[in-house]
Amino acid sequence: DAKTTQPPSMDCAEGRAANLPCNHSTISGNEYVYWYRQIHSQGPQYIIHGLKNNETNEMASLIITEDRKSSTLILPHATLRDTAVYYCIVRDGNAGNMLTFGGGTRLMVKP
Amino acid sequence: EAGVVQSPRYKIIEKKQPVAFWCNPISGHNTLYWYLQNLGQGPELLIRYENEEAVDDSQLPKDRFSAERLKGVDSTLKIQPAELGDSAVYLCASSLTSGTQAFFGQGTRLTVV
């Protein structure tokens, strides 16, 4: 899998949007961008994924640049419960490829 | 719908002792994964099962680690003998197929003393 680069930590004020960046400059055409998060003492939780179009679900929005070399996960109204480690992962769209986690971004939502 | 269930939640053992972890995946999920997560790091894949077949175990330290998934449902991961460096969280995940979204259990936190 292509490698990703994320800032190790970020802070966000409660109620504000949290924008988490990810660089994946070596991503190939059939690789998807996945985002997972891990709240303390829990297993990773799927958030969203996309190939080249922007995606939105009830949890977040994913913005992928036109050249697909970077993406941003947006939590529109961060709450204290969004404090977690957020992992950006690129994954081949073919069956048989697993998740390769990096260090992630530790997001701290502050009151 | 029940999620991925792992037990025990916590385990403390002395070094050189054996230990086993159990995982019950989401019903109907054919693919099962075991991950290892060291403190402050992201999870690392140990082994992947497609039904009862281990199709990717290249990262599993086979001298002391073993895994099985009898009947293609529940799975156990065993360490014998445990070493101090095995202290970590062991995560189980499952997915409908290997190309679909994976769901994780809460993990088993192992402490070897």
Side-chain angles (χ1 to χ4, degrees):
Chain A
D1 289 356
K3 291 184 178 180
T4 61
T5 304
Q6 298 177 255
S9 64
M10 291 181 63
D11 290 345
C12 177
E14 187 179 18
R16 305 296 295 268
N19 298 289
L20 292 90
C22 179
N23 287 321
H24 31 78
S25 58
T26 60
I27 193 170
S28 60
N30 63 342
E31 288 183 315
Y32 287 75
V33 179
Y34 276 75
W35 283 83
Y36 277 74
R37 75 179 182 183
Q38 188 171 23
I39 295 170
H40 182 63
S41 296
Q42 296 184 24
Q45 175 192 23
Y46 167 83
I47 302 174
I48 198 167
H49 75 281
L51 183 61
K52 53 185 177 181
N53 296 323
N54 297 337
E55 302 287 344
T56 296
N57 63 21
E58 65 278 4
M59 291 183 68
S61 294
L62 174 61
I63 308 298
I64 303 174
T65 58
E66 190 169 345
D67 62 7
R68 302 207 327 120
K69 292 185 178 182
S70 66
S71 60
T72 301
L73 178 74
I74 301 172
L75 307 178
H77 305 287
T79 70
L80 298 179
R81 287 181 292 182
D82 291 322
T83 292
V85 178
Y86 287 77
Y87 295 100
C88 170
I89 301 162
V90 293
R91 173 179 177 177
D92 196 298
N94 298 321
N97 286 279
M98 280 60 68
L99 302 171
T100 301
F101 290 82
T105 295
R106 184 172 299 278
L107 176 68
M108 179 72 72
V109 181
K110 297 183 175 180
Chain B
E1 177 183 316
V4 176
V5 179
Q6 291 188 246
S7 68
R9 191 80 169 83
Y10 304 92
K11 188 72 176 180
I12 301 174
I13 62 170
E14 294 183 343
K15 62 181 180 182
K16 301 184 182 180
Q17 294 301 306
V19 64
F21 314 124
W22 176 79
C23 173
N24 181 228
I26 293 173
S27 178
H29 281 197
N30 296 320
T31 308
L32 185 145
Y33 315 77
W34 282 102
Y35 284 83
L36 162 70
Q37 186 170 26
N38 288 306
L39 186 64
Q41 299 181 23
E44 303 169 33
L45 181 70
L46 289 173
I47 190 168
R48 172 173 69 97
Y49 281 92
E50 294 292 344
N51 298 303
E52 67 274 10
E53 182 182 0
V55 296
D56 186 347
D57 63 354
S58 57
Q59 302 303 313
L60 190 72
K62 298 181 183 63
D63 56 337
R64 298 183 299 108
F65 286 65
S66 65
E68 61 182 11
R69 190 184 184 196
L70 299 176
K71 301 181 181 179
V73 182
D74 294 0
S75 177
T76 56
L77 178 68
K78 299 178 182 178
I79 308 174
Q80 183 171 9
E83 297 178 352
L84 295 177
D86 297 331
S87 295
V89 175
Y90 292 82
L91 293 159
C92 179
S94 71
S95 60
L96 274 173
T97 69
S98 59
T100 57
Q101 175 189 339
F103 294 83
F104 285 80
Q106 289 191 297
T108 295
R109 180 176 297 275
L110 173 67
T111 302
V112 182
V113 298

mmCIF file of all heavy atoms in Angstrom, chain A residues 74-91:
data_model
loop_
_atom_site.group_PDB
_atom_site.id
_atom_site.type_symbol
_atom_site.label_atom_id
_atom_site.label_comp_id
_atom_site.label_asym_id
_atom_site.label_seq_id
_atom_site.Cartn_x
_atom_site.Cartn_y
_atom_site.Cartn_z
ATOM 1 N N ILE A 74 -13.133 16.006 7.256
ATOM 2 C CA ILE A 74 -13.766 17.117 7.946
ATOM 3 C C ILE A 74 -14.846 16.606 8.886
ATOM 4 O O ILE A 74 -15.781 15.912 8.458
ATOM 5 C CB ILE A 74 -14.400 18.107 6.942
ATOM 6 C CG1 ILE A 74 -13.328 18.658 6.003
ATOM 7 C CG2 ILE A 74 -15.085 19.262 7.691
ATOM 8 C CD1 ILE A 74 -13.880 19.497 4.868
ATOM 9 N N LEU A 75 -14.692 16.935 10.164
ATOM 10 C CA LEU A 75 -15.750 16.706 11.141
ATOM 11 C C LEU A 75 -16.424 18.058 11.328
ATOM 12 O O LEU A 75 -15.832 18.973 11.906
ATOM 13 C CB LEU A 75 -15.160 16.212 12.467
ATOM 14 C CG LEU A 75 -14.228 15.006 12.397
ATOM 15 C CD1 LEU A 75 -13.696 14.662 13.787
ATOM 16 C CD2 LEU A 75 -14.923 13.810 11.792
ATOM 17 N N PRO A 76 -17.639 18.244 10.833
ATOM 18 C CA PRO A 76 -18.208 19.602 10.730
ATOM 19 C C PRO A 76 -18.439 20.307 12.062
ATOM 20 O O PRO A 76 -18.283 21.521 12.145
ATOM 21 C CB PRO A 76 -19.523 19.371 9.980
ATOM 22 C CG PRO A 76 -19.828 17.925 10.151
ATOM 23 C CD PRO A 76 -18.527 17.220 10.278
ATOM 24 N N HIS A 77 -18.803 19.581 13.092
ATOM 25 C CA HIS A 77 -19.049 20.182 14.403
ATOM 26 C C HIS A 77 -18.457 19.257 15.467
ATOM 27 O O HIS A 77 -19.158 18.392 15.982
ATOM 28 C CB HIS A 77 -20.546 20.382 14.640
ATOM 29 C CG HIS A 77 -21.230 21.181 13.573
ATOM 30 N ND1 HIS A 77 -21.061 22.542 13.438
ATOM 31 C CD2 HIS A 77 -22.062 20.793 12.574
ATOM 32 C CE1 HIS A 77 -21.777 22.968 12.400
ATOM 33 N NE2 HIS A 77 -22.382 21.932 11.853
ATOM 34 N N ALA A 78 -17.197 19.424 15.732
ATOM 35 C CA ALA A 78 -16.500 18.494 16.620
ATOM 36 C C ALA A 78 -17.060 18.548 18.041
ATOM 37 O O ALA A 78 -17.384 19.622 18.563
ATOM 38 C CB ALA A 78 -15.011 18.809 16.649
ATOM 39 N N THR A 79 -17.186 17.375 18.650
ATOM 40 C CA THR A 79 -17.597 17.276 20.042
ATOM 41 C C THR A 79 -16.463 16.629 20.835
ATOM 42 O O THR A 79 -15.528 16.075 20.262
ATOM 43 C CB THR A 79 -18.871 16.429 20.199
ATOM 44 O OG1 THR A 79 -18.541 15.054 19.916
ATOM 45 C CG2 THR A 79 -19.961 16.881 19.243
ATOM 46 N N LEU A 80 -16.597 16.666 22.158
ATOM 47 C CA LEU A 80 -15.559 16.086 23.004
ATOM 48 C C LEU A 80 -15.390 14.593 22.702
ATOM 49 O O LEU A 80 -14.287 14.045 22.822
ATOM 50 C CB LEU A 80 -15.897 16.302 24.482
ATOM 51 C CG LEU A 80 -15.984 17.758 24.925
ATOM 52 C CD1 LEU A 80 -16.351 17.826 26.413
ATOM 53 C CD2 LEU A 80 -14.694 18.511 24.660
ATOM 54 N N ARG A 81 -16.474 13.943 22.288
ATOM 55 C CA ARG A 81 -16.402 12.510 21.994
ATOM 56 C C ARG A 81 -15.661 12.200 20.703
ATOM 57 O O ARG A 81 -15.429 11.031 20.387
ATOM 58 C CB ARG A 81 -17.809 11.924 21.948
ATOM 59 C CG ARG A 81 -18.443 11.806 23.326
ATOM 60 C CD ARG A 81 -19.828 11.212 23.255
ATOM 61 N NE ARG A 81 -20.791 12.097 22.590
ATOM 62 C CZ ARG A 81 -22.070 11.816 22.443
ATOM 63 N NH1 ARG A 81 -22.547 10.680 22.878
ATOM 64 N NH2 ARG A 81 -22.876 12.675 21.854
ATOM 65 N N ASP A 82 -15.334 13.237 19.936
ATOM 66 C CA ASP A 82 -14.537 13.020 18.723
ATOM 67 C C ASP A 82 -13.039 12.977 19.027
ATOM 68 O O ASP A 82 -12.237 12.766 18.107
ATOM 69 C CB ASP A 82 -14.823 14.129 17.703
ATOM 70 C CG ASP A 82 -16.235 14.042 17.139
ATOM 71 O OD1 ASP A 82 -16.705 12.902 16.912
ATOM 72 O OD2 ASP A 82 -16.851 15.099 16.924
ATOM 73 N N THR A 83 -12.665 13.198 20.268
ATOM 74 C CA THR A 83 -11.255 13.080 20.647
ATOM 75 C C THR A 83 -10.807 11.633 20.420
ATOM 76 O O THR A 83 -11.373 10.703 20.987
ATOM 77 C CB THR A 83 -11.053 13.470 22.117
ATOM 78 O OG1 THR A 83 -11.304 14.864 22.273
ATOM 79 C CG2 THR A 83 -9.637 13.155 22.579
ATOM 80 N N ALA A 84 -9.806 11.462 19.559
ATOM 81 C CA ALA A 84 -9.392 10.119 19.146
ATOM 82 C C ALA A 84 -8.142 10.228 18.283
ATOM 83 O O ALA A 84 -7.701 11.327 17.942
ATOM 84 C CB ALA A 84 -10.505 9.440 18.346
ATOM 85 N N VAL A 85 -7.593 9.077 17.897
ATOM 86 C CA VAL A 85 -6.539 9.028 16.889
ATOM 87 C C VAL A 85 -7.198 8.715 15.553
ATOM 88 O O VAL A 85 -7.965 7.755 15.448
ATOM 89 C CB VAL A 85 -5.475 7.970 17.221
ATOM 90 C CG1 VAL A 85 -4.423 7.915 16.117
ATOM 91 C CG2 VAL A 85 -4.825 8.264 18.567
ATOM 92 N N TYR A 86 -6.911 9.525 14.556
ATOM 93 C CA TYR A 86 -7.511 9.376 13.231
ATOM 94 C C TYR A 86 -6.461 8.857 12.260
ATOM 95 O O TYR A 86 -5.396 9.440 12.115
ATOM 96 C CB TYR A 86 -8.080 10.717 12.746
ATOM 97 C CG TYR A 86 -9.333 11.092 13.492
ATOM 98 C CD1 TYR A 86 -9.260 11.609 14.782
ATOM 99 C CD2 TYR A 86 -10.598 10.907 12.929
ATOM 100 C CE1 TYR A 86 -10.410 11.926 15.500
ATOM 101 C CE2 TYR A 86 -11.751 11.230 13.626
ATOM 102 C CZ TYR A 86 -11.650 11.725 14.912
ATOM 103 O OH TYR A 86 -12.784 12.035 15.612
ATOM 104 N N TYR A 87 -6.793 7.760 11.603
ATOM 105 C CA TYR A 87 -5.866 7.113 10.675
ATOM 106 C C TYR A 87 -6.338 7.295 9.235
ATOM 107 O O TYR A 87 -7.492 6.996 8.911
ATOM 108 C CB TYR A 87 -5.770 5.619 10.955
ATOM 109 C CG TYR A 87 -5.185 5.244 12.288
ATOM 110 C CD1 TYR A 87 -6.003 4.888 13.359
ATOM 111 C CD2 TYR A 87 -3.804 5.230 12.486
ATOM 112 C CE1 TYR A 87 -5.461 4.530 14.578
ATOM 113 C CE2 TYR A 87 -3.260 4.872 13.710
ATOM 114 C CZ TYR A 87 -4.096 4.527 14.753
ATOM 115 O OH TYR A 87 -3.560 4.177 15.958
ATOM 116 N N CYS A 88 -5.441 7.747 8.401
ATOM 117 C CA CYS A 88 -5.669 7.850 6.962
ATOM 118 C C CYS A 88 -4.928 6.688 6.305
ATOM 119 O O CYS A 88 -3.729 6.494 6.549
ATOM 120 C CB CYS A 88 -5.138 9.191 6.458
ATOM 121 S SG CYS A 88 -5.074 9.377 4.672
ATOM 122 N N ILE A 89 -5.608 5.909 5.497
ATOM 123 C CA ILE A 89 -5.033 4.694 4.923
ATOM 124 C C ILE A 89 -5.382 4.657 3.445
ATOM 125 O O ILE A 89 -6.512 4.966 3.063
ATOM 126 C CB ILE A 89 -5.629 3.446 5.605
ATOM 127 C CG1 ILE A 89 -5.361 3.474 7.116
ATOM 128 C CG2 ILE A 89 -5.080 2.165 4.989
ATOM 129 C CD1 ILE A 89 -6.265 2.546 7.905
ATOM 130 N N VAL A 90 -4.408 4.303 2.616
ATOM 131 C CA VAL A 90 -4.726 4.047 1.219
ATOM 132 C C VAL A 90 -4.724 2.543 0.996
ATOM 133 O O VAL A 90 -3.893 1.821 1.529
ATOM 134 C CB VAL A 90 -3.758 4.748 0.246
ATOM 135 C CG1 VAL A 90 -3.938 6.253 0.327
ATOM 136 C CG2 VAL A 90 -2.334 4.364 0.517
ATOM 137 N N ARG A 91 -5.668 2.099 0.230
ATOM 138 C CA ARG A 91 -5.899 0.666 0.118
ATOM 139 C C ARG A 91 -6.281 0.322 -1.318
ATOM 140 O O ARG A 91 -7.132 0.976 -1.906
ATOM 141 C CB ARG A 91 -7.012 0.262 1.063
ATOM 142 C CG ARG A 91 -7.483 -1.163 0.947
ATOM 143 C CD ARG A 91 -8.578 -1.441 1.949
ATOM 144 N NE ARG A 91 -9.092 -2.781 1.802
ATOM 145 C CZ ARG A 91 -10.009 -3.299 2.595
ATOM 146 N NH1 ARG A 91 -10.503 -2.611 3.579
ATOM 147 N NH2 ARG A 91 -10.431 -4.527 2.397
#
